[in-house]
Amino acid sequence: MAVSWISCERFNLKYVRLPALALAALTFVGVASAAELKINAVTLTTQQLLARQDAKTITVPGDVSYHRTMTYRAVPLRALPGIDRLGKEEDLQIAATDGYVTNLPHALVAGVSANRRGKGAEPWLAIEPPDKPWPRATDGKATGPFYLVWLHPEASGVKSEQWPFQIGSIRTVSARAGKWPQIAVGSEVPADSVIRVGQSVVATQCMVCHKLNGAGDATLGPDLNVPRSPTEYFQPGVLREFIRNPRAIRAWPGMQMPSFPPSNLSDADLDAAIAYLSYMAQRRK
């Protein structure tokens, strides 16, 4: 998150010498209280969100970022401006301030269960209180000021990359299938093929950071097929290990790619993703 200097004039103060700790505290409060979230054409501040009548304290077991139970002050995602009118042919695009972008399909936002029976997962927008910042996640990253968390994620098969944090904007967009034909699988591929499963896995778990054939909105990582697919320059076993634990294969300052342990990406889904990437290496556009 970008941090700007705060002028004393903002607080109607004369220029005075402040102890370093006091100045740091003053700067932190100013920045934290100024957090804003853009939802379609509406901009809401931290204070406005926390003051909503539907804001409540929720407990999230097995939080993906912290790997433990967490408690947040949050509002129902579906109750936010325009989201209650999300169409069946639309996605909800959530963009983080660092370039991470995830697209949630209508069924997931609406709470459709994985087996179409019973209630699905519940998405909540957690809001970081200005006077009580959240701890850093297990990977050392800050998650505030806004973080999408889920109650009962297993009911809808919510994936690890569908818990975006450091959220800066939320907007309604066309569904992936219509928006990005470059990632489509050809009609010759059977409906039950692992390649089609892999397409969904890559779109959900990988395209939050990467593009593929130039398609996608994320800007964190390189294109997964242009100029070359990772299946063309990694040996199969090494590629699997790299996805599981990138730093075990190659690390550099500022490296962003997270690990994908089996709890976040099953062996079957990993195999499917690699099968899809191998297929797309022959369909470079």
Side-chain angles (χ1 to χ4, degrees):
M1 183 186 300
V3 177
S4 58
W5 290 102
I6 300 175
S7 168
C8 288
E9 294 176 354
R10 180 173 177 180
F11 299 93
N12 296 317
L13 298 176
K14 298 293 184 181
Y15 285 100
V16 295
R17 184 182 298 274
L18 293 175
L21 289 177
L23 182 58
L26 181 62
T27 301
F28 174 77
V29 171
V31 171
S33 63
E36 294 182 341
L37 176 65
K38 187 172 182 179
I39 307 174
N40 291 317
V42 178
T43 299
L44 298 174
T45 66
T46 297
Q47 291 86 346
Q48 288 173 321
L49 287 163
L50 288 172
R52 287 174 58 101
Q53 291 186 346
D54 54 0
K56 62 182 295 187
T57 299
I58 62 170
T59 299
V60 181
D63 185 289
V64 163
S65 294
Y66 294 96
H67 303 292
R68 59 186 173 91
T69 298
M70 294 291 292
T71 300
Y72 300 102
R73 194 68 180 168
V75 296
L77 182 70
R78 299 172 194 144
L80 294 174
I83 297 177
D84 57 334
R85 299 191 297 276
L86 186 70
K88 292 185 177 180
E89 301 303 318
E90 294 177 319
D91 287 348
L92 194 64
Q93 184 181 94
I94 303 179
T97 55
D98 63 359
Y100 179 105
V101 180
T102 186
N103 283 28
L104 304 180
H106 170 270
L108 191 59
V109 176
V112 176
S113 64
N115 58 14
R116 299 280 170 171
R117 297 192 298 271
K119 293 179 63 176
E122 298 177 23
W124 288 78
L125 180 73
I127 305 119
E128 184 177 36
D131 60 344
K132 193 176 181 181
W134 298 329
R136 289 186 175 266
T138 53
D139 61 2
K141 293 182 179 179
T143 55
F146 307 109
Y147 174 27
L148 180 66
V149 300
W150 297 85
L151 297 181
H152 316 298
E154 70 287 346
S156 298
V158 177
K159 304 294 186 184
S160 62
E161 300 308 295
Q162 292 172 324
W163 294 65
F165 52 77
Q166 293 185 20
I167 298 172
S169 66
I170 301 175
R171 66 189 184 109
T172 300
V173 298
S174 300
R176 269 191 308 240
K179 185 179 179 182
W180 299 326
Q182 304 99 305
I183 72 172
V185 172
S187 58
E188 78 283 359
V189 178
D192 59 351
S193 170
V194 68
I195 292 172
R196 293 190 181 276
V197 176
Q199 178 189 13
S200 176
V201 173
V202 168
T204 301
Q205 295 289 80
C206 306
M207 291 184 69
V208 295
C209 294
H210 299 270
K211 296 182 185 296
L212 193 147
N213 281 344
D217 297 301
T219 59
L220 272 176
D223 194 296
L224 291 175
N225 207 39
V226 176
R228 288 287 184 266
S229 166
T231 61
E232 296 175 290
Y233 53 82
F234 274 115
Q235 295 179 5
V238 176
L239 177 56
R240 290 178 60 88
E241 188 175 351
F242 180 75
I243 294 171
R244 286 291 188 218
N245 183 12
R247 286 163 182 79
I249 302 299
R250 180 181 297 161
W252 59 89
M255 184 178 186
Q256 300 264 13
M257 184 168 172
S259 299
F260 285 90
S263 58
N264 290 353
L265 185 69
S266 69
D267 286 340
D269 280 351
L270 177 55
D271 290 342
I274 292 173
Y276 170 72
L277 291 174
S278 297
Y279 170 83
M280 293 305 293
Q282 311 306 315
R283 296 173 62 88
R284 195 170 287 114
K285 297 181 181 181

